[in-house]
Amino acid sequence: MTIDPAVLVLPAFTTADYAADPDDPDEVSRWLDAYDFERREVGGLPKPVRYDPGADVALVPTGIGKSAATATVTTCFADDALDLDDATLVTVGIAGTHPSAGTIGSVVVADSVVDWDLKERVDDRVTPLGWRARDYCWDLADGLVERAAGVARDVDLADSESARALRAAYDDDRSPGVTVGPTVCGDEVWHGEAAAADVERLCGAYGVDGYATTEMEDAGTVTALERFDALDRYVSLRAVSNFDRAPPGGDPAESAGEFCFDLATENAFRAGRAMVSTLAA
């Protein structure tokens, strides 16, 4: 039987996808607890598709990184087990952030996606590929972005002592909130002001004024969605787990490992579930 959900949720990882204790937070477990999902095995997907017919919501983890995301989304469109002709597709996960764009626990809805990996690097100079036929930047549907952000702004976001302590090192007294901005996607895990300056230069070359979040899947997801003429039905919502650089006077090698996974996955779920419920209705 073909599944034809109103919304397909695309988290990236479970604890099985990274070196973690099974009780550690991930992007999937809260969704499995919240819905009455049925399992459907689909060839080419490393994990089953879950579907709640009462909520009209399906979920499948993409796996970590652009290649995994591309393969998962392509398989979902190509296999007869799923009919996504009318579905809205929603990435719900975590991300890093530029300290000026957000804070730990905040939720960011992407209005564009920039691919960080497709570029030219000559010594310390980073530029777009000179022979490219297009910019590796995708603008997302304004109306859907604003609708998603509006729903997220009505959600009561969580906070935590560990997040407040991490923010304090950055002289940041903000609480989690909701913003809209560009996301930069790359398979490389980078951290620090020098790397961030390169990212900003690449974004600027594409006409993108800065960036809000950094993550590892969305460029693969939008590449697949564009092939299936479904880019205008895509939302990327991510909650911030870490800053992309050290605090003032700090050591990047130390701050690179400072994350608030539990808070970020909680707020991504809270805002994401509210958004998904609205879209499914």
Side-chain angles (χ1 to χ4, degrees):
M1 184 177 69
T2 299
I3 297 170
D4 58 343
V7 180
L8 176 62
V9 182
L10 299 167
F13 64 88
T14 68
T15 52
D17 293 309
Y18 70 109
D21 185 287
D23 294 326
D24 284 351
D26 63 22
E27 294 181 347
V28 177
S29 57
R30 289 176 174 86
W31 293 92
L32 300 185
D33 292 338
Y35 287 86
D36 187 18
F37 282 129
E38 304 168 355
R39 292 167 57 104
R40 174 71 65 88
E41 302 291 339
V42 176
L45 295 181
K47 294 181 175 66
V49 175
R50 315 278 183 144
Y51 180 54
D52 182 337
D56 208 9
V57 172
L59 176 145
V60 61
T62 62
I64 296 172
K66 291 190 301 179
S67 296
T70 307
T72 295
V73 175
T74 300
T75 300
C76 287
F77 272 89
D79 197 285
D80 290 339
L82 284 164
D83 178 356
L84 300 177
D85 286 349
D86 298 314
T88 302
L89 298 101
V90 180
T91 289
V92 180
I94 64 172
T97 194
H98 190 307
S100 69
T103 194
I104 305 299
S106 286
V107 168
V108 182
V109 179
D111 57 8
S112 61
V113 179
V114 177
D115 191 332
W116 164 242
D117 294 312
L118 284 162
K119 61 183 181 294
E120 183 176 282
R121 185 188 293 276
V122 179
D123 289 335
D124 61 351
R125 182 176 63 88
V126 170
T127 59
L129 292 171
W131 42 262
R132 70 191 187 284
R134 58 161 293 170
D135 289 344
Y136 295 105
C137 176
W138 293 259
D139 293 326
L140 304 184
D142 291 339
L144 193 52
V145 168
E146 289 305 320
R147 184 182 181 195
V151 172
R153 290 187 180 106
D154 289 335
V155 173
D156 182 20
L157 298 177
D159 205 354
S160 69
E161 287 299 324
S162 59
R164 283 188 281 268
L166 181 54
R167 290 189 213 111
Y170 290 78
D171 297 321
D172 180 3
D173 60 0
R174 291 171 292 177
S175 298
V178 177
T179 59
V180 173
T183 187
V184 175
C185 177
D187 286 323
E188 173 187 62
V189 177
W190 57 267
H191 185 79
E193 292 191 8
D198 281 344
V199 174
E200 287 183 315
R201 279 191 286 271
L202 186 66
C203 288
Y206 290 146
V208 176
D209 184 16
Y211 63 93
T213 58
T214 66
E215 39 76 23
M216 301 180 71
E217 290 81 33
D218 288 5
T221 299
V222 296
T223 297
L225 291 175
E226 190 173 52
R227 299 284 180 90
F228 289 95
D229 196 26
L231 191 59
D232 61 344
R233 294 186 274 123
Y234 176 61
V235 180
S236 172
L237 180 151
R238 291 180 178 268
V240 174
S241 62
N242 60 286
F243 291 118
D244 68 0
R245 66 200 69 197
D251 182 355
E254 294 179 1
S255 62
E258 293 178 336
F259 292 85
C260 288
F261 270 3
D262 195 37
L263 178 63
T265 52
E266 173 65 24
N267 282 346
F269 170 72
R270 290 188 185 192
R273 187 180 185 190
M275 179 180 63
V276 166
S277 296
T278 298
L279 292 171

